Amino acid sequence: MSECGAMPDTERSERRERLLVEALRGEVPAHVAIIMDGNGRWAESRGLPRWEGHREGAKAVREAVVASLEVGVRQLTLYAFSNENWLRPATEIAALMDLLVEYAASEVEELRERGVRVRVFGDLERLAPEARAAVQRLEAATGAGEKMSLNLAISYGSRSEIARAARRLVEQALAGALRPEEVDAERFARELYTAGWPDPDLLIRTSGEQRVSNFLLWQIAYAELLVTPVLWPDFDQTHFFEAVLEYQRRERRYGRVEV
Ligand code: FPP
């Protein structure tokens, strides 16, 4: 992916339009999932505290939502806070939680107007009551949105999600409501947080790390993986459309066989 940080505004917006038009000509991934990484490095490379990177990262979330709406992505799933993130210093956790609360308050109207439904998934019991209430208010206020779903993974880890699904199935079996032979992949998926959602078609990870970091391990079974060196706070609409174009190139190369 190209870096266009030094481009003048008009040139950047022309380039953005060009990429959007090009992306709209091909098959757009219905579901894009993103591991938003590199906020800390973005801040540190500027001599700023890490929370400044997260704040810029929240602006990039807005870019990704707008880009998704424009290109016709129906589901955008973002890894906003992992189970492992609970191990970070308390001040950084607090800054991330404050950002979530701020985001929920500042974006709710626009998300609702644009027809974006927000869904939050993960172990929300671990959130401070204020943060939990804020994201739940955001879900409730945007619940009627039909254009796109913005799915925020918060206090999320895929292994815990899978273990939770197994536990739920065992409970149903012990209660006599489920026979072991009824458990197959489809039945299992119905116990995940993502029950009923289509699997991601494209998984993007920013900042160059080539890992999946316990994100949607079950759901990304067939996703195209795209790692970009761009740090998350720099990831703008142009980068998003470039990712869609890269997905389309791969689709053409490995296109499904019509039967
Ligand atoms: C990884 O960067 C990113 C996170 C741990 C959190 C992502 C959060 C946001 C983008 C902002 C808030 C989100 C919403 C939905 C409003 P890192 O700190 O691991 O970066 P590093 O690897 O460079 O240290």
Side-chain angles (χ1 to χ4, degrees):
M1 273 187 195
S2 63
E3 183 49 72
C4 52
M7 248 185 214
D9 278 356
T10 43
E11 216 174 297
R12 191 197 301 253
S13 94
E14 277 167 20
R15 182 172 150 69
R16 177 197 165 282
E17 288 304 311
R18 229 178 19 251
L19 290 168
L20 172 59
V21 168
E22 209 182 316
L24 286 168
R25 283 199 205 109
E27 185 195 323
V28 172
H31 186 172
V32 175
I34 307 184
I35 301 176
M36 309 182 286
D37 195 13
N39 294 350
R41 273 164 285 170
W42 184 94
E44 280 155 17
S45 69
R46 288 165 174 77
L48 298 169
R50 291 175 61 83
W51 65 264
E52 295 265 21
H54 296 314
R55 180 163 292 282
E56 283 301 308
K59 292 186 194 161
V61 167
R62 199 188 161 86
E63 288 281 297
V65 170
V66 173
S68 297
L69 282 165
E70 293 214 12
V71 81
V73 164
R74 303 279 302 163
Q75 307 257 350
L76 177 66
T77 302
L78 304 178
Y79 206 1
F81 192 89
S82 71
N83 276 347
E84 291 71 29
N85 288 157
W86 288 116
L87 301 171
R88 293 195 177 195
T91 48
E92 188 172 345
I93 295 175
L96 280 164
M97 292 296 144
D98 286 351
L99 264 181
L100 271 176
V101 173
E102 265 179 50
Y103 179 85
S106 66
E107 302 296 302
V108 61
E109 266 322 304
E110 191 174 338
L111 290 168
R112 186 157 53 182
E113 274 164 26
R114 288 180 180 262
V116 178
R117 169 190 188 185
V118 178
R119 297 186 289 201
V120 178
F121 65 104
D123 184 3
L124 303 184
E125 293 299 312
R126 290 185 77 178
L127 298 188
E130 192 199 348
R132 188 165 58 240
V135 292
Q136 286 171 343
R137 271 198 305 273
L138 181 61
E139 278 187 317
T142 60
E146 286 186 346
K147 210 152 177 218
M148 186 184 102
S149 288
L150 170 62
N151 312 310
L152 301 178
I154 299 176
S155 188
Y156 172 82
S158 190
R159 286 183 171 178
S160 305
E161 178 190 33
I162 290 169
R164 174 180 170 273
R167 199 163 54 241
R168 287 160 64 106
L169 290 170
V170 171
E171 281 163 5
Q172 290 166 39
L174 289 175
L178 181 71
R179 282 176 288 118
E181 58 273 24
E182 289 176 300
V183 179
D184 57 12
E186 188 270 326
R187 183 68 192 79
F188 195 92
R190 275 165 41 200
E191 301 300 332
L192 298 172
Y193 293 122
T194 55
W197 307 359
D199 286 340
D201 301 295
L202 172 64
L203 172 67
I204 301 171
R205 181 168 187 148
T206 57
S207 95
E209 309 294 343
Q210 312 212 19
R211 293 190 288 273
V212 253
S213 298
N214 203 16
F215 189 44
L216 302 175
L217 300 179
W218 176 283
Q219 297 87 340
I220 60 168
Y222 296 102
E224 289 291 329
L225 307 183
L226 192 152
V227 173
T228 166
V230 177
L231 302 177
W232 177 249
D234 292 325
F235 193 85
D236 61 16
Q237 295 181 42
T238 302
H239 298 114
F240 194 97
F241 299 143
E242 281 180 333
V244 170
L245 288 166
E246 168 64 19
Y247 168 83
Q248 290 170 348
R249 280 192 288 277
R250 293 193 198 174
E251 284 294 285
R252 282 200 285 270
R253 203 158 46 218
Y254 304 114
R256 283 184 276 277
V257 178
E258 294 294 325
V259 284

